[in-house]
Amino acid sequence: MTSLSVSGHNNNPDDAQALQVVSQAQTARYTQRQLTGPQRTAALLAMAQALAVHQPAIMAANQQDLADPDVTNLPLATQNRLQLTPAKWQPVLDGLHQLAHMPDPVGQVLRQTLLDDGLTLQQQTLPLGVLLIIFEARPDVLPQVAGLALKSGNVLIAKGGTETTHTNRAILHCLQQALAPYCHPQWVQCVEGRAMVQALLAHHQGIDLVIPRGSNAMVQHIMAHTRIPVLGHADGVCHLYWHASAPLADSLAVVLDAKTQYPAACNALETLLIDATCAPVVLPQLAQAAAQAGITLTGCPQTQALLPQVALVTEWHQEYGDLTLAIKCVDTVQQAMAHIQAYGSHHTDGILAEDADTINAFLAGVDSASVFVNTSTRFADGFRYGLGAEVGISTSRTHARGPVGLQGLLTTRWVLTGQYQTVKPYACGAKSFLHKPLG
Amino acid sequence: MTSLSVSGHNNNPDDAQALQVVSQAQTARYTQRQLTGPQRTAALLAMAQALAVHQPAIMAANQQDLADPDVTNLPLATQNRLQLTPAKWQPVLDGLHQLAHMPDPVGQVLRQTLLDDGLTLQQQTLPLGVLLIIFEARPDVLPQVAGLALKSGNVLIAKGGTETTHTNRAILHCLQQALAPYCHPQWVQCVEGRAMVQALLAHHQGIDLVIPRGSNAMVQHIMAHTRIPVLGHADGVCHLYWHASAPLADSLAVVLDAKTQYPAACNALETLLIDATCAPVVLPQLAQAAAQAGITLTGCPQTQALLPQVALVTEWHQEYGDLTLAIKCVDTVQQAMAHIQAYGSHHTDGILAEDADTINAFLAGVDSASVFVNTSTRFADGFRYGLGAEVGISTSRTHARGPVGLQGLLTTRWVLTGQYQTVKPYACGAKSFLHKPLG
């Protein structure tokens, strides 16, 4: 029997509970994946309605969390992230309605081939199975991800931040009550405590995907401690390479947007690689614009020679998350690409240039999840890409990559429908395959 | 800087060598992915030609391996697998020519969206990067996989069986010589020794995919000892569910084909789940046909009641690899699916039935990599599916699943081409996205 047990850990109460949670999720998954698209749509609408009706109880639970001395002692910005308000709640409800009315992602036919007369092969999408979401702060993540899991036919295990334990419990209670007529009672389960997360991360046979939402440190820790595929990114060290052929005013506007529009975002610009031939013209103007925008410039020795006030960069693999912009002078597009290869995180890297050969060399050499030509790195986002709902941004090379929509929560299977054909006549050459692509 | 070092292991000479091999592969990858499709085609044809020209030297090296007392003491079947013959070599050469003339899988546009006027998004395929292939016996695997890696723009690290060390070295020498004009000298590297494999498996930041080709035990060991995604399957415990509505003679032919056509294959049938209502009619006829085909039947107590000569099955999660067929009587399609869920390996599972509701229930409930209706499980194969070259059969739920073609050696990136657009006007509502699908 396919075992979910993790050897040598079963004396720990968290391990025993994790095993139970995963077993329940596996049972629920089996029921959940048999729901039809219309059933999942109805369940999503019921979820949205219940979250609207129980909004007062959920807000009250959130107030209880916010009044805890452990929370009142946190920085104000953190407290704001923990707080649910009607202004934050309405987009969650709107998002669930939108999701309910999106096309059913499950059972889509990706490829169809007639192998031979009466022998038809389809590659179809289907739910991954069991998702584990681990999120910090922002309790509005839970209903959003529960909606995505439901739409895609998956079951969910969720671990929220301890600061909003009461809020998370209230939301979970609401979800379970509302969806009892539609789903298996364990289609969504919440767990608490770090030890529990550790125990769950060992269940690579029972959990199909981990989605971490939180600090770089948290994501890195999860990636380093599990064999379950992780959908996410530890850091976003994004670059723009400014070639001498790029127009000054337009390129400057893109650099400022990429750095300042939301500096804390993972797709914000960290390092500008500037063609040394145009640096003497560009950098003084950039310095002037940066000063007005509140940007702190840092750079390489060559940059310092042109902008003496600039501090020296000692570590290029850095995600500042603030208004710091590092500048490096490079002689060629090859040098720019080598820098991106060595110090980037394969999240989003772009070029600013009019010269076609240089653009083509950049596109041939840079294999980041998003590669941009003449536009701001801040466009790297599931909603901006038109993916509908965004599940996250992934920098892993397998499974989903870059901004990820519902497709990231799906796997595929091959369905072959025949008329009692056997392999033997094909193996001995008596019959041969047509392999005709269909529709 | 993105580090390839694996902390705390650098005193071991294998770890130091693994680090060097992975660093070289990373350098080669950077060059290799810039080759154009026509350049990769020319390289493949040169590879095929060199392997033809140097066939005598490779065969001589193989004879040297076969003469080793460690090899002459092996079972004859194993010695046959280790031996290269012209009859085995010609299909390798033919395969490389076919591969050379297949459409270029790299840089394919999977999705294209006009985000706004002058802002075009493409999702493109590109090489995964660095592949690690670990194979046992069969030295013809090396040129096959080298061809697949080359076609898909990847670089390769290969570890072959120790029994054919001289053969592997001769093939490697031939590949490196032939491809020197086209590729980076380290686009293919061979390593030797188990300790080296262990050291390489720790490099999840420098190796993108592991492809194990060998025994279940070897594949399981690799899956348990690396965080690198693994393309493969540890076991193939495949089922057919025979519903009462299935026609007797046709269904019997499918069962016999699935069990006997090549019993050692991963997609061969291991367990027949038979509808209890038709078992009294079917099983005696099956027993008669099985006896003629040399099949040994085993079964559940209910099967034993109908076929007293049959031994009791005590473990259902078993890949026999021989002419053993286990039989279990089930009352409903739900019971059949629960058995597949509990004891299967999600490789290939099928139903034999004419009743549409039962077929639909089976398709809704079984999420194996391949799910078959009224046909032999032996069709689960990349060539039979029309995928061109087969890289392997994967039972993992992320990345590629089921029989995998060249697509399994590719990842994707998003390329966004603009005219110096910034995000700000979209974020503040001054502009909105078109999200118009293109071609």
Side-chain angles (χ1 to χ4, degrees):
Chain A
M1 176 158 184
T2 308
S3 171
L4 293 171
S5 69
V6 177
S7 60
H9 288 273
N10 287 327
N11 294 329
N12 183 320
D14 285 308
D15 291 327
Q17 199 199 332
L19 180 60
Q20 193 190 355
V21 166
V22 174
S23 301
Q24 286 173 346
Q26 284 290 337
T27 307
R29 163 190 156 194
Y30 188 66
T31 313
Q32 197 73 4
R33 74 173 179 229
Q34 299 190 47
L35 294 181
T36 63
Q39 286 172 324
R40 281 180 273 115
T41 300
L44 269 166
L45 294 174
M47 185 195 286
Q49 196 187 2
L51 290 171
V53 169
H54 293 97
Q55 185 175 332
I58 294 165
M59 298 288 163
N62 188 243
Q63 284 304 319
Q64 196 183 343
D65 284 326
L66 293 173
D68 190 289
D70 284 348
V71 173
T72 53
N73 287 331
L74 292 170
L76 203 62
T78 310
Q79 291 188 50
N80 285 343
R81 278 205 297 279
L82 298 173
Q83 185 174 16
L84 284 184
T85 59
K88 280 185 190 173
W89 202 239
Q90 194 54 45
V92 170
L93 303 182
D94 293 347
L96 290 172
H97 279 279
Q98 280 169 23
L99 200 58
H101 295 109
M102 278 174 65
D104 187 1
V106 179
Q108 294 298 309
V109 176
L110 303 179
R111 183 183 171 123
Q112 191 166 204
T113 312
L114 189 70
L115 299 195
D116 198 357
D117 289 329
L119 190 61
T120 308
L121 181 70
Q122 285 193 338
Q123 188 182 26
Q124 301 176 344
T125 60
L126 76 166
L128 263 179
V130 180
L131 313 177
L132 170 61
I133 167 101
I134 302 165
F135 60 99
E136 288 175 333
R138 308 173 64 93
D140 44 336
V141 165
L142 178 53
Q144 285 166 352
V145 174
L148 294 167
L150 185 57
K151 180 75 182 182
S152 56
N154 289 286
V155 306
L156 185 65
I157 303 170
K159 156 71 173 67
T162 48
E163 302 84 356
T164 54
T165 300
H166 293 100
T167 318
N168 298 338
R169 286 180 189 168
I171 294 170
L172 177 71
H173 181 74
C174 175
L175 295 180
Q176 285 179 329
Q177 294 288 310
L179 298 187
Y182 305 92
C183 299
H184 190 281
Q186 262 90 37
W187 80 273
V188 54
Q189 300 178 80
C190 282
V191 297
E192 296 175 4
R194 285 195 172 203
M196 187 64 187
V197 170
Q198 281 306 112
L200 286 170
L201 290 177
H203 282 275
H204 58 272
Q205 289 184 308
I207 298 172
D208 297 292
L209 191 72
V210 185
I211 307 170
R213 290 271 184 93
S215 67
N216 294 1
M218 186 267 258
V219 177
Q220 269 168 2
H221 178 85
I222 287 168
M223 287 177 165
H225 289 85
T226 189
R227 283 170 56 201
I228 308 168
V230 179
L231 195 159
H233 59 277
D235 47 17
V237 182
C238 302
H239 300 78
L240 282 174
Y241 166 55
W242 182 321
H243 182 249
S245 64
L248 203 152
D250 283 344
S251 300
L252 202 52
V254 168
V255 169
L256 293 175
D257 183 80
K259 181 70 255 183
T260 65
Q261 201 269 329
Y262 184 23
C266 57
N267 56 15
L269 178 66
E270 309 299 348
T271 303
L272 176 68
L273 301 165
I274 183 125
D275 192 330
T277 56
C278 66
V281 174
V282 170
L283 290 189
Q285 300 222 27
L286 173 60
Q288 203 178 345
Q292 281 170 12
I295 297 172
T296 303
L297 298 180
T298 61
C300 66
Q302 221 174 323
T303 302
Q304 286 185 311
L306 294 163
L307 304 175
Q309 73 278 25
V310 155
L312 189 70
V313 173
T314 52
E315 170 56 65
W316 291 99
H317 181 74
Q318 268 200 79
E319 185 172 6
Y320 301 106
D322 61 19
L323 286 170
T324 304
L325 176 63
I327 302 172
K328 184 174 183 178
C329 295
V330 291
D331 293 328
T332 60
V333 63
Q334 298 293 341
Q335 246 184 46
M337 295 192 295
H339 180 98
I340 290 168
Q341 173 80 357
Y343 301 104
S345 57
H346 293 94
H347 187 296
T348 303
D349 298 294
I351 182 171
L352 300 166
E354 287 299 302
D355 180 68
D357 287 347
T358 307
I359 293 172
N360 288 337
F362 190 86
L363 287 175
V366 176
D367 67 351
S368 303
S370 291
V371 183
F372 285 6
V373 178
N374 297 336
T375 193
S376 170
T377 55
R378 289 278 296 122
F379 280 103
D381 171 280
F383 292 98
R384 289 171 190 153
Y385 280 11
L387 304 182
E390 184 182 274
V391 170
I393 296 186
S394 165
T395 51
S396 81
R397 297 180 72 82
T398 51
H399 195 54
R401 192 163 189 244
V404 180
L406 279 171
Q407 214 183 349
L409 304 183
L410 300 172
T411 183
T412 58
R413 67 171 176 186
W414 299 92
V415 174
L416 181 62
T417 308
Q419 296 167 347
Y420 306 95
Q421 289 91 340
T422 58
V423 156
K424 199 176 176 187
Y426 297 93
C428 72
K431 280 187 175 184
S432 61
F433 289 104
L434 293 176
H435 289 149
K436 184 179 160 193
L438 296 173
Chain B
M1 178 157 184
T2 308
S3 171
L4 292 171
S5 69
V6 177
S7 58
H9 287 273
N10 289 328
N11 294 328
N12 183 318
D14 285 307
D15 291 326
Q17 198 198 335
L19 180 61
Q20 192 190 355
V21 166
V22 174
S23 299
Q24 287 173 344
Q26 283 292 335
T27 307
R29 164 191 155 193
Y30 189 66
T31 312
Q32 197 73 4
R33 74 172 179 230
Q34 300 190 47
L35 295 180
T36 62
Q39 286 172 325
R40 282 179 275 116
T41 301
L44 269 166
L45 293 174
M47 185 195 287
Q49 196 186 3
L51 289 171
V53 169
H54 294 98
Q55 183 174 335
I58 294 166
M59 298 289 163
N62 188 243
Q63 284 305 318
Q64 196 182 344
D65 284 326
L66 293 174
D68 190 289
D70 284 349
V71 172
T72 53
N73 288 331
L74 291 169
L76 203 61
T78 310
Q79 291 188 50
N80 285 341
R81 278 205 296 279
L82 298 173
Q83 185 174 18
L84 283 184
T85 60
K88 280 186 191 173
W89 202 239
Q90 195 53 47
V92 170
L93 304 180
D94 293 346
L96 290 172
H97 279 280
Q98 280 169 23
L99 200 57
H101 296 108
M102 276 174 66
D104 187 0
V106 180
Q108 295 298 308
V109 177
L110 303 179
R111 182 183 173 124
Q112 191 167 205
T113 312
L114 189 69
L115 299 195
D116 198 357
D117 290 330
L119 190 61
T120 307
L121 181 71
Q122 284 193 339
Q123 189 182 27
Q124 301 175 345
T125 59
L126 77 164
L128 263 180
V130 179
L131 312 178
L132 170 61
I133 168 102
I134 302 165
F135 60 98
E136 288 176 332
R138 307 173 65 93
D140 44 336
V141 165
L142 178 54
Q144 285 166 352
V145 174
L148 293 168
L150 186 57
K151 181 75 182 182
S152 56
N154 288 287
V155 305
L156 185 64
I157 303 170
K159 156 71 173 68
T162 47
E163 302 85 357
T164 55
T165 300
H166 294 99
T167 317
N168 298 338
R169 286 179 189 168
I171 294 171
L172 177 71
H173 181 74
C174 175
L175 295 180
Q176 284 179 331
Q177 293 287 311
L179 297 188
Y182 305 92
C183 298
H184 189 280
Q186 262 90 37
W187 80 273
V188 54
Q189 300 177 80
C190 282
V191 297
E192 295 176 5
R194 286 195 171 202
M196 187 65 185
V197 169
Q198 282 304 111
L200 286 170
L201 290 178
H203 283 275
H204 58 272
Q205 287 183 309
I207 297 171
D208 297 291
L209 191 73
V210 185
I211 307 170
R213 289 272 185 92
S215 67
N216 294 2
M218 186 267 258
V219 177
Q220 269 167 0
H221 177 85
I222 287 168
M223 287 178 166
H225 289 85
T226 189
R227 284 171 54 200
I228 307 169
V230 178
L231 195 158
H233 60 277
D235 49 17
V237 182
C238 302
H239 300 78
L240 281 174
Y241 166 55
W242 182 321
H243 182 250
S245 64
L248 203 151
D250 284 345
S251 300
L252 201 52
V254 168
V255 168
L256 292 175
D257 183 80
K259 180 72 257 182
T260 65
Q261 201 269 331
Y262 185 22
C266 56
N267 56 16
L269 179 66
E270 308 300 347
T271 303
L272 176 68
L273 301 165
I274 183 124
D275 192 330
T277 57
C278 66
V281 174
V282 171
L283 290 189
Q285 300 223 27
L286 172 61
Q288 203 177 350
Q292 283 171 11
I295 298 172
T296 304
L297 298 181
T298 61
C300 66
Q302 222 175 323
T303 302
Q304 287 185 310
L306 294 163
L307 305 175
Q309 72 277 24
V310 155
L312 189 70
V313 174
T314 52
E315 170 56 65
W316 291 99
H317 180 76
Q318 268 199 81
E319 185 172 6
Y320 302 105
D322 61 19
L323 287 171
T324 305
L325 176 64
I327 302 172
K328 184 175 182 178
C329 295
V330 291
D331 293 327
T332 60
V333 63
Q334 298 293 340
Q335 245 184 48
M337 296 193 295
H339 180 98
I340 291 169
Q341 173 79 357
Y343 301 103
S345 58
H346 292 95
H347 187 295
T348 303
D349 299 293
I351 181 171
L352 299 166
E354 288 298 302
D355 180 67
D357 287 346
T358 307
I359 293 172
N360 288 335
F362 191 85
L363 287 175
V366 176
D367 66 352
S368 303
S370 291
V371 183
F372 286 7
V373 178
N374 296 338
T375 193
S376 170
T377 54
R378 289 278 297 123
F379 280 104
D381 172 279
F383 293 98
R384 289 173 189 152
Y385 279 10
L387 303 182
E390 183 183 271
V391 171
I393 295 186
S394 165
T395 51
S396 80
R397 298 179 72 83
T398 52
H399 194 54
R401 191 161 191 246
V404 179
L406 279 171
Q407 212 183 348
L409 304 183
L410 300 171
T411 183
T412 58
R413 67 171 175 185
W414 298 94
V415 173
L416 181 63
T417 308
Q419 297 168 346
Y420 306 96
Q421 289 90 339
T422 57
V423 156
K424 199 177 176 187
Y426 298 93
C428 72
K431 281 187 176 185
S432 60
F433 290 104
L434 293 176
H435 288 148
K436 185 181 160 192
L438 296 173

